[in-house]
Amino acid sequence: MAAGMIALEHVSRTFVSADGGRIEALRDVSLTIGRNEFVTLVGPSGCGKSTILRIVAGLILPSSGTASIEGSVIREPRPETGIVFQAPTLLPWATVLDNVLFPLRMMNRMSPDSAERARTLLKLVDLAGFEGNAPRELSGGMQQRVAICRALVHDPDILLMDEPFGALDALTREEMTLELLRIWSERRKTVLFVTHSIPEAVLLADRVVVLSPRPGSIARVIEVDLPRPRSFDQEGSPAFQGAARQIRELIFGQRHASRAA
Amino acid sequence: MQAAQLEAPPRSRRALATAWRDAGVPTLATVIAFGVWEAACRLFDVPSYLLPRPSEIWTDTIEIGGTVAMHTLATLKTVFLGFLASIVISLPLAVALTTSPATAASVYPFLVWTQSIPKVALAPILVVILGANELPRVVITFLVAFFPLVISVATGLMSVPSELIELGRACRASKWSELVRIRLPYAVPFIFAGLKVAITLAVVGAVVAEFVNADSGLGFLIQTSTAFFKVPVAFGALIILSLIGVILFQAVVVIERIFFPWSSANSTAIL
Ligand SMILES: Nc1ncnc2c1ncn2[C@@H]1O[C@H](COP(=O)(O)OP(=O)(O)O)[C@@H](O)[C@H]1O
Ligand SMILES: [Mg+2]
């Protein structure tokens, strides 16, 4: 594995809730992600997956510990990251093309070939011809593909995805998973991908990071030894089954243990 | 091609049905209402100073058509200036209200205060301060119309989903571009909801102002004609006022549909 692209060192994060109580979301998380590595993050809901992602995105800061990209500490959102949220969050008043161009406009990085670049991205996700449409004229899956193009338009080195397919139906979801792998094989990036689907986590990842329930900390990191390009046919393979079983045990085993206690 | 041809007749029939429902039915209902009014006045021989017949209102108003037109234009001018002032002041005010809790806390009392003052009572005082001219009328119109606009714009700016704000932050947006590229566009349906209320209230405000201080305008015409028992003319002015209200309201609706189609598509959910 190449040198660390993203590094979390003893990161903890505590939130103050509305009633003044303290919520410890993350406790002492250390993780290094290599350049162009595909890492997925799984764990029970509320264990701090989004919090980790938002710290790497620079949207929030750790309460203690440091998060850095290529050695420099993350203090604010940085131009080398692109983010996809669970909901497409497209601007309802802008066309598909303008939605894809939005980050460039915000960063004052529009250039004469920006529109062409956006079109190329839309073609990559099978949305050629929809440039002028309004978001509401697109299905949920299509909207999420626009959001992926938007995250890629400024050619970030790092792609952060927070349950990007969580709101989609099962069929669209599998389709999008394969599409993401195809995009990733064409334009290698460092990807940190949050999901609560264990098969999705295994199929996509070089490594799966399993988090324990709140306060979130890393239960185990599982290497996935499956050849690429991947497909859902591999779900039956022993390597896939083994990884999935391990993750399931880590998540549900712990839950049963804590219930018994 | 064939399918399109097959589909065409039902589609145009549906368009006709919609047009009939939207325009035909209300027109017919209005005509019938006026007919009943006319018939009832004739049947029971109601004196015209109590309730003039529609035909009487029509002939008496048309008879002094030039004067009525002049008064209508005067009222329209006040309505427009007051409405314009409402927009120009409400937008920045709403932005100020929503940018920091401190400005909100300091501005809100004044806002509520301006709303709690009875405008009819304020009008004569404004005339003394500002002089017997157009200005106090515009100020009254503004005071009546602007409040709902401020509130709806502020509501729109505040109700931007946190995901959109987060998206802006992730794209390293400045506070200014967040306002211009996210908050204000998001608030457009709310702004138009406010504009629809404001334009209607602007007509009310202009007439209130004309009652207190004016030498022209439909409010003035109503006062002078009732003073001389020319009740049909007063009714004529009243009908023109309600027409102005309806037409200006529809104008705002049309502007929204033309320039912000995505907004009017959503506005049913907001109104
Ligand atoms: N802004 C916040 N304020 C208060 N509590 C928060 C905030 N963000 C997250 N939390 C809490 O931190 C915990 C982890 O949240 P999150 O990272 O969203 O979990 P996940 O994405 O794994 O479901 C949850 O208990 C959540 O309630
Ligand atoms: Mg989450």
Side-chain angles (χ1 to χ4, degrees):
Chain A
M1 190 195 312
M5 177 78 183
I6 303 171
L8 302 180
E9 289 165 75
H10 307 291
V11 166
S12 301
R13 171 72 208 209
T14 304
F15 290 106
V16 179
S17 66
D19 57 14
R22 299 171 74 79
I23 301 166
E24 193 179 7
L26 292 176
R27 179 186 289 173
D28 196 24
V29 172
S30 295
L31 176 67
T32 310
I33 300 173
R35 175 175 284 278
N36 293 346
E37 197 183 4
F38 202 126
V39 170
T40 54
L41 212 54
V42 283
S45 98
C47 71
K49 304 182 293 292
S50 299
T51 305
I52 292 184
L53 209 78
R54 286 152 53 80
I55 286 174
V56 177
L59 291 167
I60 54 175
L61 295 173
S63 309
S64 68
T66 57
S68 56
I69 290 175
E70 289 186 311
S72 77
V73 176
I74 305 165
R75 294 205 171 80
E76 55 176 4
R78 291 156 57 126
E80 64 260 43
T81 54
I83 187 162
V84 182
F85 300 101
Q86 176 163 5
T89 44
L90 302 179
L91 308 174
W93 56 86
T95 61
V96 165
L97 187 69
D98 284 330
N99 265 291
V100 175
L101 290 172
F102 183 74
L104 294 179
R105 291 233 165 81
M106 286 303 215
M107 296 181 200
N108 289 320
R109 277 172 52 182
M110 284 293 281
S111 65
D113 57 338
S114 293
E116 203 40 55
R117 184 179 160 69
R119 282 174 207 282
T120 312
L121 282 170
L122 285 168
K123 207 174 290 165
L124 191 69
V125 299
D126 268 340
L127 282 178
F130 288 95
E131 291 85 356
N133 284 72
R136 68 185 133 83
E137 294 161 350
L138 270 54
S139 72
M142 290 158 94
Q143 291 191 19
Q144 195 57 288
R145 279 184 274 167
V146 175
I148 292 172
C149 291
R150 179 179 63 195
L152 293 172
V153 74
H154 58 292
D155 201 19
D157 296 330
I158 298 170
L159 187 56
L160 305 171
M161 308 182 90
D162 193 354
E163 305 193 28
F165 309 144
L168 304 178
D169 62 272
L171 283 179
T172 316
R173 188 171 181 145
E174 289 201 356
E175 210 174 289
M176 296 283 292
T177 307
L178 295 176
E179 197 149 296
L180 176 63
L181 280 174
R182 193 167 55 76
I183 296 171
W184 182 68
S185 65
E186 279 181 39
R187 302 165 183 237
R188 283 294 168 125
K189 299 199 178 299
T190 310
V191 183
L192 183 55
F193 186 105
V194 170
T195 177
H196 54 237
S197 153
I198 294 173
E200 193 174 88
V202 176
L203 193 74
L204 285 167
D206 295 320
R207 287 190 297 156
V208 181
V209 176
V210 185
L211 292 177
S212 65
R214 211 175 71 208
S217 56
I218 294 177
R220 195 175 304 166
V221 179
I222 295 166
E223 304 262 349
V224 182
D225 260 334
L226 284 172
R228 291 187 189 270
R230 304 245 176 104
S231 75
F232 280 96
D233 300 337
Q234 291 167 313
E235 267 187 308
S237 76
F240 190 103
Q241 295 286 332
R245 187 167 358 93
Q246 265 193 67
I247 298 169
R248 215 163 271 129
E249 273 169 16
L250 282 165
I251 294 175
F252 296 110
Q254 278 163 357
R255 217 183 262 175
H256 291 313
S258 63
R259 205 176 289 162
Chain B
M1 194 58 209
Q2 214 174 350
Q5 273 169 352
L6 284 177
E7 242 170 64
R11 192 174 291 168
S12 66
R13 209 177 301 153
R14 207 178 312 143
L16 259 180
T18 324
W20 166 245
R21 197 196 57 213
D22 288 355
V25 175
T27 313
L28 188 68
T30 313
V31 169
I32 290 174
F34 274 98
V36 170
W37 176 355
E38 180 83 31
C41 286
R42 286 180 188 274
L43 189 64
F44 301 110
D45 213 10
V46 182
S48 89
Y49 60 85
L50 281 186
L51 183 64
R53 282 177 267 135
S55 56
E56 233 177 335
I57 295 172
W58 177 258
T59 46
D60 286 20
T61 310
I62 290 297
E63 196 178 310
I64 53 164
T67 322
V68 173
M70 185 270 287
H71 288 302
T72 306
L73 283 179
T75 301
L76 277 177
K77 185 179 165 200
T78 311
V79 169
F80 272 120
L81 290 177
F83 183 58
L84 210 64
S86 305
I87 297 173
V88 169
I89 293 170
S90 294
L91 285 183
L93 198 59
V95 170
L97 273 176
T98 50
T99 37
S100 90
T103 41
S106 53
V107 175
Y108 255 118
F110 289 99
L111 271 183
V112 176
W113 181 65
T114 59
Q115 287 318 291
S116 56
I117 296 176
K119 307 301 173 297
V120 192
L122 185 65
I125 300 172
L126 279 180
V127 175
V128 173
I129 300 172
L130 301 172
N133 51 41
E134 181 74 32
L135 190 58
R137 293 197 286 278
V138 173
V139 172
I140 292 291
T141 307
F142 157 76
L143 284 175
V144 172
F146 90 109
F147 188 68
L149 189 54
V150 175
I151 296 303
S152 58
V153 178
T155 310
L157 292 173
M158 298 281 272
S159 58
V160 180
S162 57
E163 296 91 37
L164 279 186
I165 298 297
E166 192 138 81
L167 171 72
R169 285 192 52 216
C171 296
R172 302 160 58 79
S174 62
K175 275 284 159 210
W176 172 252
S177 40
E178 180 189 291
L179 176 68
V180 174
R181 290 193 186 274
I182 299 177
R183 284 187 189 273
L184 274 176
Y186 187 87
V188 163
F190 294 83
I191 296 176
F192 271 92
L195 287 176
K196 287 171 202 166
V197 180
I199 192 73
T200 316
L201 287 179
V203 178
V204 175
V207 175
V208 167
E210 285 168 356
F211 269 28
V212 175
N213 150 53
D215 46 17
S216 63
L218 291 169
F220 171 79
L221 180 62
I222 290 174
Q223 273 203 317
T224 48
S225 47
T226 45
F228 294 101
F229 285 97
K230 290 197 274 187
V231 179
V233 174
F235 267 83
L238 206 61
I239 290 170
I240 293 172
L241 274 175
S242 61
L243 280 178
I244 289 177
V246 171
I247 290 169
L248 290 182
F249 182 91
Q250 286 304 324
V252 175
V253 172
V254 168
I255 288 172
E256 181 180 16
R257 262 189 217 153
I258 291 174
F259 292 101
F260 305 94
W262 53 269
S263 161
S264 43
N266 298 337
S267 64
T268 39
I270 287 157
L271 271 178

